[in-house]
Amino acid sequence: MILHKGDTLFRQGETGPLYELKSGLLKIVRIHEDGRPTLVNIIVPKEMIPHHSLISPNPYYGSAIALMTSEVEVIPSNQWYHKLEQDPFLCREIALQLQEKLRMMQQRIDQLTEVSPADKLRKLQSWFHSYIAPASLTDILTQDEIGQFIGLRRETVNRLLRAEVISK
């Protein structure tokens, strides 16, 4: 299945199949009760989502939206869970996938626990470069999304990015 930038793969609260991202990037956005969206994750190629449903089914935690043209493979839930019961080696593959995602999330926690807004942005740029290069952070995410991702206001992100350009 091909998704174009802005297309929604699934919506928060729905249930359905699992997916493997073959190419492109997806963002996971959580909508709060007051309607405010928060960018909570970026999905990179070779990831299977939703992560919390790899072992047992659960409703989608957030909405998955394409950040660029992306190719996604649909994995029907009943086939996936049946295969999981039949193939114990698949459990190891899932554990390795979740371990890698945990490492990515630990780096994200490092970004969020920085005190200085400039350090938060610097660590996000470094993380982004590690997983998503050659595209730059601002090629993929809006200033508002960057702010959501690292706990800053859009205005602060704008000021920091302008300061970066001036210092170069």
Side-chain angles (χ1 to χ4, degrees):
M1 162 190 316
I2 300 295
L3 298 173
H4 298 284
K5 182 177 181 169
D7 288 350
T8 299
L9 179 61
F10 56 76
R11 286 183 170 62
Q12 178 177 322
E14 295 177 345
T15 57
L18 293 112
Y19 302 91
E20 182 176 356
L21 182 61
K22 297 295 189 180
S23 65
L25 294 171
L26 302 174
K27 64 180 177 180
I28 305 298
V29 177
R30 182 122 173 100
I31 306 297
H32 299 278
E33 287 183 18
D34 63 3
R36 180 178 41 88
T38 300
L39 175 62
V40 295
N41 202 355
I42 294 178
I43 306 303
V44 298
K46 299 184 183 172
E47 280 192 74
M48 285 187 59
I49 57 171
H51 301 106
H52 67 276
S53 294
L54 291 176
I55 302 293
S56 62
N58 283 293
Y60 299 132
Y61 176 76
S63 299
I65 302 165
L67 286 167
M68 61 176 51
T69 300
S70 302
E71 181 183 359
V72 179
E73 179 184 347
V74 179
I75 303 167
S77 299
N78 57 349
Q79 290 176 13
W80 173 256
Y81 296 120
H82 179 73
K83 185 177 174 183
L84 192 60
E85 289 175 7
Q86 304 301 314
D87 185 357
F89 294 104
L90 188 55
C91 291
R92 183 177 191 283
E93 287 181 38
I94 292 169
L96 291 172
Q97 287 178 26
L98 292 174
Q99 174 181 275
E100 179 58 27
K101 193 60 181 181
L102 181 58
R103 287 183 179 138
M104 286 176 75
M105 297 311 288
Q106 286 170 327
Q107 292 171 341
R108 291 262 307 110
I109 290 168
D110 283 348
Q111 296 162 18
L112 294 171
T113 57
E114 283 292 338
V115 175
S116 157
D119 288 339
K120 285 183 179 192
L121 181 59
R122 181 184 49 75
K123 281 198 172 181
L124 176 60
Q125 288 169 320
S126 176
W127 177 87
F128 205 85
H129 183 73
S130 296
Y131 288 98
I132 302 169
S136 74
L137 179 64
T138 54
D139 290 339
I140 303 298
L141 299 177
T142 66
Q143 291 180 3
D144 193 44
E145 290 170 329
I146 293 167
Q148 290 171 23
F149 211 43
I150 57 177
L152 298 174
R153 293 181 10 186
R154 186 203 56 78
E155 294 82 3
T156 303
V157 172
N158 180 280
R159 179 179 47 80
L160 292 169
L161 291 172
R162 276 195 331 250
E164 251 183 28
V165 170
I166 292 169
S167 69
K168 287 183 180 180

